[in-house]
Amino acid sequence: MKRKPPRGIRNNNPGNIRYTGTQWAGLSLPPSDGEFCIFTEPKWGIRALARVLKVYQTKYGICTVSGIIRRWAPSFENDTAAYVKSVCHQTGFGSGSELNLFDNDTMLALVKAIIQHENGQMPYTTEQLMEGIRCA
């Protein structure tokens, strides 16, 4: 029996962004599965993930792995410490190192690590990821 892909992959929302009414580019109709956004294509879900991360830096001044993941995956619903450790291991970034989320290589590494952690897999090519990041 073939396993069903994780929710984030099925919804083209590999960051598992909750639907809060934001009218993201590429939202499907219906726009959510009742909790999480559904996008028409992976590039739109990847774009939304990258845009949220850029807002963390520009609006809130959050630019470390630890700060980003604490906001992305709060401890009341996640093992945030394990998530930070996973992202640091995958990216090679220190948990307190300041990141420039407008640098494509930095964003690519962070997006890959978040997608891997959220879904337990990385089904996207670098080209697909960069398409979403460039749209952000």
Side-chain angles (χ1 to χ4, degrees):
M1 184 165 112
K2 190 171 180 172
R3 292 182 67 180
K4 189 161 65 166
R7 182 185 217 173
I9 305 303
R10 288 193 317 269
N11 286 352
N12 292 318
N13 178 7
N16 286 316
I17 296 170
R18 291 185 191 281
Y19 182 69
T20 60
T22 300
Q23 294 304 301
W24 292 105
L27 269 182
S28 184
L29 290 174
S32 80
D33 65 6
E35 187 172 0
F36 294 93
C37 294
I38 301 173
F39 293 96
T40 58
E41 298 176 55
K43 80 173 179 182
W44 298 118
I46 295 163
R47 173 192 177 271
L49 166 53
R51 284 189 62 88
V52 169
L53 296 178
K54 286 179 176 182
V55 166
Y56 286 0
Q57 181 172 334
T58 59
K59 187 173 182 179
Y60 303 107
I62 300 171
C63 57
T64 64
V65 172
S66 180
I68 290 165
I69 299 305
R70 279 197 324 265
R71 183 163 180 113
W72 186 267
S75 59
F76 65 85
E77 60 185 21
N78 296 276
D79 182 346
T80 305
Y83 201 146
V84 169
K85 186 175 179 180
S86 170
V87 170
C88 289
H89 176 75
Q90 291 178 67
T91 62
F93 302 145
S95 66
S97 300
E98 289 201 13
L99 307 177
N100 175 2
L101 300 178
F102 288 84
D103 173 75
N104 283 341
D105 292 335
T106 301
M107 180 64 83
L108 176 63
L110 191 57
V111 165
K112 276 181 157 177
I114 289 171
I115 291 171
Q116 177 67 44
H117 191 85
E118 289 284 335
N119 299 283
Q121 60 181 266
M122 171 46 68
Y124 308 111
T125 65
T126 298
E127 292 76 26
Q128 287 175 300
L129 295 169
M130 286 309 300
E131 181 182 19
I133 290 168
R134 280 191 296 271
C135 289

